[in-house]
Amino acid sequence: MAAAVVASAVLTLLLPDDLRLGPRWALPLAEGLLLVALISGDPGRISRRSTVLRSVAIALVVVLVSSAIWSTVQLIDDLIHGGHETNSANALLLAGGSVWSSTVLAFSLLYFELDSGGPAARAHRMPPTPALAFPQQLSPELNAPHWRPHYVDYLYLGFTNSTALSPTDVMPLAPWAKSVMTLQSILSLMILGLVVARAVNVLA
């Protein structure tokens, strides 16, 4: 999870200025400070249940998701009105790939933090009806004793939802999960469709 936050900060630094929310250093600094606070409060573990740590984790996710949505909207605006990076296929694909990757990471962290009360709550007890149902929870023959989803499971969910634009093996059960997955699919569809179409047009 920490590596995903660092990767997201690096992608933010690589974005063109007009696709970034705030100055180049602002979001990476905010994300870094929130991450340090989380690690300091529960070093090397995710099992400490604390209202303060939970609030910090949610704040971090809000920053990441807000940044991803802002970058997506700005990229689409540039594609419609002709931003400077839209005249070069290489620059456009690099910017689009960075925005798309940031969206995958941001939403994977959102799923990781909100599903079943967050990682600390899952470490202590899995609810009988989770917000996101993984194959290990849906199929008794696959259900290993004491199985818990880890961040990589949510990263896979974020990636497949952004590529397939629909649930694959993880089923959203809670209304918030369905809404968030729908939003992520819409953002990904706009990024992939408009960026690829514009890049092909530039190359042609």
Side-chain angles (χ1 to χ4, degrees):
M1 176 264 187
V5 175
V6 173
S8 183
V10 171
L11 288 171
T12 300
L13 291 172
L14 295 177
L15 287 174
D17 290 339
D18 56 341
L19 300 184
R20 193 184 307 108
L21 179 60
R24 179 179 294 272
W25 53 268
L27 280 175
L29 178 62
E31 293 161 4
L33 291 174
L34 290 169
L35 180 61
V36 168
L38 278 177
I39 294 174
S40 300
D42 195 12
R45 304 180 65 184
I46 59 169
S47 59
R48 180 182 174 186
R49 287 184 286 188
S50 163
T51 302
V52 174
L53 289 177
R54 175 82 167 145
S55 300
V56 171
I58 291 176
L60 175 58
V61 169
V62 168
V63 170
L64 291 167
V65 173
S66 299
S67 173
I69 293 175
W70 172 269
S71 297
T72 301
V73 171
Q74 291 301 114
L75 177 62
I76 293 169
D77 182 71
D78 280 2
L79 286 166
I80 294 173
H81 297 100
H84 72 275
E85 74 276 352
T86 62
N87 295 318
S88 166
N90 289 338
L92 178 58
L93 290 173
L94 179 60
S98 297
V99 172
W100 184 84
S101 299
S102 296
T103 302
V104 171
L105 291 173
F107 278 86
S108 69
L109 288 164
L110 187 149
Y111 301 134
F112 176 75
E113 188 56 45
L114 295 188
D115 183 33
S116 303
R122 291 193 302 271
H124 289 271
R125 178 180 178 272
M126 285 296 293
T129 306
L132 295 163
F134 291 84
Q136 291 88 338
Q137 296 164 317
L138 295 173
S139 302
E141 65 274 11
L142 299 177
N143 190 6
H146 309 298
W147 183 85
R148 299 286 187 277
H150 300 286
Y151 173 68
V152 67
D153 299 298
Y154 297 100
L155 178 60
Y156 178 75
L157 167 61
F159 178 80
T160 54
N161 194 50
S162 279
T163 51
L165 307 178
S166 64
T168 52
D169 63 336
V170 182
M171 293 295 105
L173 302 182
W176 74 259
K178 295 178 182 180
S179 301
V180 170
M181 289 184 70
T182 299
L183 175 60
Q184 185 190 6
S185 295
I186 292 172
L187 294 174
S188 183
L189 177 61
M190 290 190 294
I191 295 171
L192 295 176
L194 293 177
V195 168
V196 171
R198 177 59 181 168
V200 170
N201 186 54
V202 171
L203 289 172

